[in-house]
Structures are given as structure tokens and as C-alpha cells.
Amino acid sequence: MLSYVGGEEFNGTQAKAQLVRNSKNTVAYFRDFLGKDFDAIDPTPCHPSAHPMKHDSTVAFSIHDTDSETPNTITVSEITTRHIRRLASSASDFLGKQVNSAVITVPTNFTEQQKHALNEAAKEAGIEVLQFISEPVAAVLAYDARSEAKIEDKIVVVADLGGTRSDIAVIASRGGMYSILATAHDYDFNGAQLDQVLVDHFSKEFLKKHKSDPREHHRSLAKLKLEAEGTKKALSLSANATISVESLNEGIDFASTINRTRYETLSGKIFAGFTRLIEGAIKKADLDVLDIDEVILSGGTSHTPKIASNLQSLFSHSTTILSPSTSSTAINPSDLAARGAAIQASLIQEFDLEDIAQSAHPMVTVTPHLRCAIGVLLVSEDSEKGVFKPVLEAETSAPARRTAIFNCPREGGDVLVKVCEGVRAIKVSKASPKSNANGKNAEDSDDEDDDSEDEEEEVREKVWKVGKVLAEAAIKGIKKGGKVEVMVNVGGDLGVLVTAREVGGKGGVRGTLGHVGVVENGKV
């Protein structure tokens, strides 16, 4: 957001304050217009600020950015250049040295044309773009780069809930490599809608007391929106918040209070919309909520505790919800994208631009992925079925290698190792009836009153179904209390090498399964 007053430029929070008195010279929410034709944009978020206009098929704004009384037509590309130049200046002042290059995060639905336009705008600002990375990947990287983090295979949902849009991404993290499985984008459920809920609430209260609606006057509405956003932020930190607006409408001052419970009730439909959006992205990835290991809340709207609370109810107890209200070690959601970009910049700053470009080439980034998990079924003399354990999870990109160690029967003996495909399934069962103090089932005690009986609770759990057996290996004469180590290696040529041996023993079994095929969607 940029604003101009008497030829002086304001950015960020200072620019937002100008929406009340200087809205026509304030340019807001222009990023999504970059690289697009005027006919392809949605100008709705810009209604409270300078309106976009058509200029040589691109998007521009008519603003007074100098002392002249005549407005100037500034393209969205020039606005972006000015914004990047100010960001670089702030970063240079903070670091004490000149910043001349950067890694920039973009939404997952940013087109190549938009990236090119952003790159050109950055060049005009004197900034060399080292790499573009998607915002959800930057958020995951910000958490995985912490010293206490463990790099492990997991499925992560990143919910980026911003002021004018919400973006959801389902990401498979396999050995520190990230693959985006599905994305979802929505412009109806966002932080601005939560602000509007508070604006409507306080407007009705003002109308009831003073018989005047502040929403009918542009300046009064701008004042109320600005204070409503501050009230929303206050309710994220405390149970109550006070709003106070001087001369809100017709010279009348306004003050009121609202508690978090009331706010959450008023915003219930929007919070439910966030949850549905996340569920839809998970289903789009052909996954279940039980498959999700972590949920990362990103963006300014993610500070709202109710959003994290709803997600705790949606996901299982084993799923980690990373947000300020659920984890004391959570990173500020507003800083995640910037932090991830800074970490990526620190990793690649010593490389040549040509090497960085080659690393992002589709020949490198578009790799085959495992359609099914590859795991091990251990069968000993006293067990026919054995226990399946995945070694290489589904959605792992090739090449990949994983090693797993399995316990054997205490008495030792011969063990049959079966390397199989594993398919995740969801098992639904009825919860067993609880017994009361008299030792009777709750169902029995309620027989006389059928109307009061509740429906049986369903219990959902993730189980593995053994699919195609890829290989079998027999390891004989394992010592008492021994263990078996199995290594599965899928090479870049899609050949599979399996090695099985007793831990601490001599020899072992090694075999090549040949080259696996690749289906149309690029999965092995």
C-alpha cells in the first residue's frame, strides 16, 4: 500500500492511515493486478482507495504523486517498482549495508507472465531477483529451518489467510523436498470480511442510538473500517476490545465494547468458510484429514484464535496446529513468508544466477513421485500376516532412499521380509458403549427412554492395506532379540534396489526389482 500527500510517499501502516483523508491518492492491493490486462482484474478490493483504470491494456492509477495539481497516470508496474524500492531501502537501513538482490515469494497461482512483470519491476528498483518461491513453501521452510526442527516425512497444510484472499496448499515434505499436491484459492473468505462483520455490528449500534448510518458516508465508513481492523487485532489477544472513533458521523463521537464470544458468533459463517476451504484442498489432494501431520497458519488473519480452535476440532489429536494461540513456539504468521524467503536467499546467495535458474528448470523440479507407499511386511514363524510398515511414503519424489529397522521375535529364528506396496485406508468403526458406575452399559440403562439415546459415535483411524508384493527375502538364523535392517532405494532411473540384513550380522540379501513404470500424472 502506497499513499502520496503533497508529493511525499508513505508506505504500509502510514499509507493505510491515509485511507480516511486521502483515499484517492492511496494505492492498495495492487499485487494481483501486475502482469494482467485490465479486463482480467477484479477491482473490488480497491473500492476504498484509488480505483484502477485502463491504460494501454494494462492497469494504472490516476493519483497526485507530486506537488502539481494535475494528476499523473502511474502504471501498476511503476507502483510495484516504487514499493520494492522502499522495501529495499528499509532493509538496507536495518542491515547497515546495501541490499541489491532478493528472493521473492508469490502465490501458487501466480502466472509466468506475472512473475516476469514482477521481475522487471524489481530490476527497475535496482533489485536482482535470485528466485521466486511459492508462499506456502516459504512458510514450511521457515519452520523446518529452525534449529530444533527435525526433517521427517510429513504432509503439511499451509493456510495463508490474508486481508483480501485466502490460499490453501497441501504439501508433501519428503526428506526436506517439498511437493505441492493441491491448492485452493478464495476471494470471498478473508480478513476484510471479518472487518466488515465488525463494521456492520457497530454501524447498527450507532444507527440505533443516533438514527444515522455511518456506512452511507465514505469518510465515516473509512474511519470505522480502520478502527474495526484494530478491534479485530485486539480481540485476537484479549477477551474484550473497545472501539473509539472521534466524530464518526455528523460530528458525533462513538465508543463501544465487544467481547470475543460475540465477535466469534457474528463471524461464524466466515470461520466455517475457512474450514470448508481447507477441507476442500485436502480432498482435492485425494487425502483425508487423518493424513495431515501439520497445519501451518500464515497471514495476518491467522492470528484469530477461533480459526485455530476450529481446526483443532477438524483434525485428529496427532495433527500439530502451528498458530500463536495453540503453540508458544509458533512463528508470527505475518512473518512466515518473509522469513522463508530470507532463509532461501541465505542458501543460494553464493550460487551463480545460471545455476539457480537451472535448479528451478522443469527438468529438475518436475520429477516422478511414488503413487503408493513402499513398505515392509515382516513374517516370522509364529505369524502369518505380519505387520506392515511404510519405508518410502507415497508422494516421495525419485530418486530417494530410506532405511528402517524392525524388531524380530525375542527367540530369534527365521524371518521372511516382504517388500510390498501399501495403500492408506480409513477404517470406520463404532465406539464401544461406556459402562456406568453399576457396571451396566449406558445403552442398557437408557432402554426405557429411547428418545434420549444418542447416535453411536464413529471412530475413524488410518490403517494400511498391503497391495502388490514387490519382493521377498528370507533371513535365517537371527539371534535372540535381534533386529532386521531394510533399505529401499529408488534410483533416478526408476530402478529399485532392496537390501535386507540382520543388524550387527554378516552378509545379507540384496536384489534389484528392475525399472518401475511411470503413469501419466508423473507418479511411479
Side-chain angles (χ1 to χ4, degrees), residues 42-55:
D42 178 13
T44 303
C46 295
H47 284 337
S49 58
H51 290 192
M53 54 184 287
K54 189 173 183 179
H55 179 73

Side-chain angles (χ1 to χ4, degrees), residues 491-496 512-518 524:
D493 60 350
L494 304 181
V496 181
T512 301
L513 306 184
H515 295 73
V516 291
V518 180
V524 177

